[in-house]
């Protein structure tokens, strides 16, 4: 049976939460493999709205095992709060349906503070982070001074590790004019939160290997989109982890040969939160209309998303980099009623045509989109569940998108509701 990786093919906010939830009905295990609580997934199930940041989307389904892999950075206080919120909505989280990788890195209060301090000090040069400590936590992981989940199991060895990380952070804090953090204070904070995490800790690589050998279907859930990848995104306006499909293997502790199909979640237009280049951005009435119809506000931050036309050139590029086999086209209904639609098919850079977004920050800011125009449709696609429900011009638009991105549409999403989905190809059947 196939194991499926779900990643975003744009700058995130493509609707991964709903698609992962929909696919999780066919899966046995759902795994988060990168990012932290800077991700935001909104699920609408039978009229109930669930907002997740750290927990895998499959956790709301009975009988599924949700897993946070080693590639995720975990804010234990945020995780505990999220679990409590779901409990108030009738979703029970326990070892029966949820596990945390013992070797995942923790986000500490000092990471959140440093993130905010840096952004505030950067002024016009800010990156646009969520100020949740994601970047500083990954820095400590790579710097080999991080506190990991397993460290909470042994208080006697925790304090020396905290003293080591504070040697680094207190030097930074002094330079920023901030008070130092005491080792005893941080030890006490971690000691207080530890009992909420430790019952859920597991050796995740071994757990997933066992599930795979039993023939269980595993769904790997990415957080941010491919254009926010630390290597392949619009650097430096990116997140601090790899968001492409290959990270699913590294961030979960499973071999790449176990990843059978990559589904790229792709919005029928384009959005971006925060700073950075956006070639097809619309600052006019149409952009405002897309934002209002699509309810384009960040699940985590509440920030309004920038909106623009579909960028086929950019999606084609991320499909190649991320190894995407098919896409799930989402929010098609937001385009209903627009008289004409534009699709970016390439760029001009300093007057010369280019077929991809350059890696250079300066060049990314200078590219100009080349558009082709398509006739829109007046009929509603909201809630459509078959091709027969779609207007002819809508089908033409979808088929042209497939041609331009050189990848088939495997699924279409026509509303936030779980069942308003048209399945063209089941990824689990590969």
């Amino acid at each position: 049976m196939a194991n499926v990786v779900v990643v975003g093919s744009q700058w995130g906010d493509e609707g991964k939460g709903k698609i992962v939830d929909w696919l999780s009905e066919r899966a046995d295990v759902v795994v988060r493999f990168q990012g932290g609580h800077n991700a935001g997934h909104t699920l609408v199930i039978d009229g109930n709205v669930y907002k997740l940041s750290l927990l895998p989307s499959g956790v709301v389904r009975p009988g599924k095992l949700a897993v946070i892999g080693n590639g995720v950075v975990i804010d234990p206080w945020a995780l505990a709060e999220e679990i409590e919120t779901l409990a108030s909505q009738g979703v029970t989280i326990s070892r029966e349906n949820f596990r945390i990788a013992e070797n995942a890195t923790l986000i500490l209060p000092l990471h959140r503070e440093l993130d905010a301090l840096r952004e505030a000090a950067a002024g016009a040069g800010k990156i646009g982070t969520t100020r949740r400590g994601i970047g500083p936590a990954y820095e400590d992981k790579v710097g080999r001074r991080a506190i990991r989940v397993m460290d909470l199991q042994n208080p006697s060895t925790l304090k020396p590790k905290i003293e080591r990380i504070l040697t680094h952070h207190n030097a930074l804090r002094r330079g920023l004019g901030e008070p130092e953090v005491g080792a005893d204070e941080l030890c006490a904070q971690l000691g207080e939160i530890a009992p909420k995490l430790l019952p859920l800790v597991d050796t995740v690589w071994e757990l997933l290997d066992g599930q795979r050998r039993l023939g269980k279907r595993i769904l790997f859930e990415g957080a941010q989109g491919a254009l926010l990848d630390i290597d392949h995104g619009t650097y430096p306006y990116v997140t601090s982890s790899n968001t492409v499909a290959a990270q699913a293997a590294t961030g979960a502790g499973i071999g790449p040969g176990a990843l059978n199909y990559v589904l790229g979640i792709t919005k029928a237009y384009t959005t971006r939160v925060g700073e950075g280049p956006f070639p097809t951005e619309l600052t006019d009435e149409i952009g405002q209309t897309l934002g209002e119809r699509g309810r384009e506000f960040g699940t985590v931050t509440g920030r309004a998303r920038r909106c623009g036309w579909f960028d086929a050139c950019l999606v084609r590029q991320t499909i190649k980099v991320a190894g995407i086999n098919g896409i799930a086209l989402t929010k098609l209904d937001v385009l209903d009623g627009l008289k004409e639609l534009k699709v970016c098919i390439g760029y001009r850079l300093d007057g010369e045509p280019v077929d991809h977004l350059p890696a250079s920050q300066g060049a990314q800011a200078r590219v100009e989109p080349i558009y082709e125009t398509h006739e829109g449709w007046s009929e509603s696609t909201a809630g459509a569940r078959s091709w027969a429900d779609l207007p002819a011009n809508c089908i033409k638009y979808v088929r042209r998108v497939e041609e331009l991105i050189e990848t088939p549409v495997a699924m279409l999403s026509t509303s936030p509701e779980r069942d308003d989905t048209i399945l063209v190809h089941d990824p689990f059947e590969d």
Side-chain angles (χ1 to χ4, degrees), residues 17 20 30-32 36-37 39-41 43 51-60 66-68 72 78-87 91-94 97-100 200 221:
V20 169
V30 184
V31 186
R32 268 285 305 276
H37 65 308
H41 294 161
L43 311 179
K51 294 191 175 184
L52 308 178
S53 292
L54 265 172
L55 290 167
S57 299
V59 79
V60 299
V67 176
I68 289 182
V72 178
L79 178 58
E81 183 178 352
E82 194 170 324
I83 290 173
E84 290 172 6
T85 299
L86 281 184
V91 180
T92 301
I93 307 297
S94 69
N97 65 346
F98 179 53
R99 307 288 175 87
I100 302 170
L200 305 168
E221 176 185 3

Side-chain angles (χ1 to χ4, degrees), residues 303-324:
R303 290 184 292 181
R305 298 173 186 142
R306 301 154 63 191
C307 298
W309 293 120
F310 185 79
D311 192 333
C313 183
L314 205 51
V315 172
R316 183 173 64 244
Q317 180 175 334
T318 60
I319 281 172
K320 296 178 186 301
V321 170
I324 292 170

Side-chain angles (χ1 to χ4, degrees), residues 23-41:
L23 287 170
S24 67
E25 184 176 21
R26 293 161 170 75
D28 301 295
V29 185
V30 184
V31 186
R32 268 285 305 276
F33 58 86
Q34 53 76 217
H37 65 308
N38 54 341
H41 294 161

Side-chain angles (χ1 to χ4, degrees), residues 313-384:
C313 183
L314 205 51
V315 172
R316 183 173 64 244
Q317 180 175 334
T318 60
I319 281 172
K320 296 178 186 301
V321 170
I324 292 170
N325 302 111
I327 70 165
L329 194 63
T330 66
K331 291 202 169 185
L332 196 60
D333 54 306
V334 175
L335 302 180
D336 293 352
L338 294 178
K339 290 184 179 180
E340 67 175 28
L341 307 171
K342 292 185 178 181
V343 176
C344 176
I345 58 173
Y347 308 112
R348 286 189 182 89
L349 175 60
D350 302 331
E352 296 295 323
V354 292
D355 62 358
H356 66 279
L357 188 67
S360 161
Q361 182 181 351
Q364 289 175 355
R366 297 198 309 276
V367 296
E368 300 174 357
I370 301 172
Y371 287 117
E372 64 178 28
T373 303
H374 298 264
E375 187 178 349
W377 55 89
S378 57
E379 306 93 325
S380 173
T381 63

